Amino acid sequence: MIAATAIAEGLPLYTTNPAGFTGLDALIRIVPVTRPPVPHEQSAR
């Protein structure tokens, strides 16, 4: 649904999970981004 919306609107797809959109390279530009650390995850390390 996310990829279909981006394709329909002519937008790139920014995602922290580019592997989830494998095979769509011909239809849409996939832009991998890193997820910023979440404060509660930092203290758990």
Side-chain angles (χ1 to χ4, degrees), residues 14-38:
Y14 290 83
T15 180
T16 58
N17 182 23
F21 300 95
T22 301
L24 296 179
D25 298 351
L27 299 173
I28 189 170
R29 184 168 61 105
I30 307 294
V31 181
V33 296
T34 55
R35 185 174 64 91
V38 177

